[in-house]
Structures are given as C-alpha cells and as structure tokens.
Amino acid sequence: VYTIDGGGYVSVPLAGRVRAAGLTPAELERAITKHVDGNILKDPHVNVQVATYGPIYIRGEVKQPGQFPYAPGLTIGDAVALAGGYTYRADESVAYVRSSASPQEMARPLRTDVPVAPGDNIRIPERFF
C-alpha cells in the first residue's frame, strides 16, 4: 500500500516519486509503468486500486452536519441521508458544492441526483418563505 503525499506524489520502489494528483487509477498505472519500462523492468504490469478516499463535508440545513466517508457513486441525496436528512427549513431544490480543487461554490439543482467527489464541501441552504 502506497500513500499519495501532500504534494500529490506517490513514492514507489524502482519508479521513484511519481506525480499522482489529478490522475485516475488507470492514468497512474500508465505513469508508473512509463517510469520503470525498459530502464529497470521489461514489460512491467502495474495495477493501481484506491484503498481509501478523502471524506466529504456537508453543512447547512441538515440534521447532523459534519464529515462523512466518501464511497464511489455517492450523490448529494446520499450525503443528505448520511447527515440525517433535511431540516424543516431546508431548501430541497438546490445544493451548493465546493470541490476540493476550487474555491468557488457551484449551485447544483437537485432535480436529479448529483454525484459527489472526495473532498467536496456541500451546503444545503435555508429556504425563503
């Protein structure tokens, strides 16, 4: 098991430090393979799997705001359920999401289930009467 450091790199024997931030597991496999192919190993086979994801955060008009574990396929509706559901004051038509890569909140209409990514910060606003 190898961990991505705070700078977005993973240190792998024979390959050294490889940039991992922003790459999918398949892209990271190719990057590691490129580092060792021909120089150290002949026709290497690399497999990358995500062991744990960063958490998501939900706040605002939910019953139990806080930090929750991310799982692939998680949606805003699932995140609200993890947080105990909406409060009676919640605006259930929109959520504001700030991804870990952006300082800006984006309004997400909740007509459909909107996917969530690791590190997302979700805010459920109060409705106006």
Side-chain angles (χ1 to χ4, degrees):
V1 175
Y2 301 99
T3 303
I4 298 173
D5 66 23
Y9 288 86
V10 62
S11 294
V12 180
L14 303 179
R17 285 186 80 208
V18 179
R19 180 92 174 136
L23 300 181
T24 66
E27 291 168 338
L28 183 54
E29 286 175 1
R30 287 190 293 275
I32 294 170
T33 299
K34 183 178 174 183
H35 275 77
V36 297
D37 191 21
N39 296 336
I40 300 165
L41 301 172
K42 200 171 217 177
D43 192 28
H45 295 280
V46 176
N47 185 26
V48 173
Q49 292 180 320
V50 179
T52 59
Y53 294 92
I56 60 151
Y57 306 89
I58 187 163
R59 59 194 173 89
E61 296 301 322
V62 291
K63 292 180 181 172
Q64 298 172 325
Q67 173 182 312
F68 298 93
Y70 173 82
L74 193 74
T75 64
I76 291 178
D78 299 332
V80 168
L82 288 171
Y86 294 108
T87 66
Y88 71 93
R89 292 184 308 241
D91 180 350
E92 298 180 27
S93 66
V94 67
Y96 294 91
V97 179
R98 187 180 73 234
S99 75
S100 60
S102 172
Q104 296 289 350
E105 273 189 338
M106 299 290 292
R108 301 287 185 209
L110 296 179
R111 291 184 301 275
T112 61
D113 247 349
V114 178
V116 175
D120 279 359
N121 192 309
I122 303 160
R123 181 175 60 87
I124 304 298
E126 183 176 2
R127 70 175 171 212
F128 294 102
F129 296 97

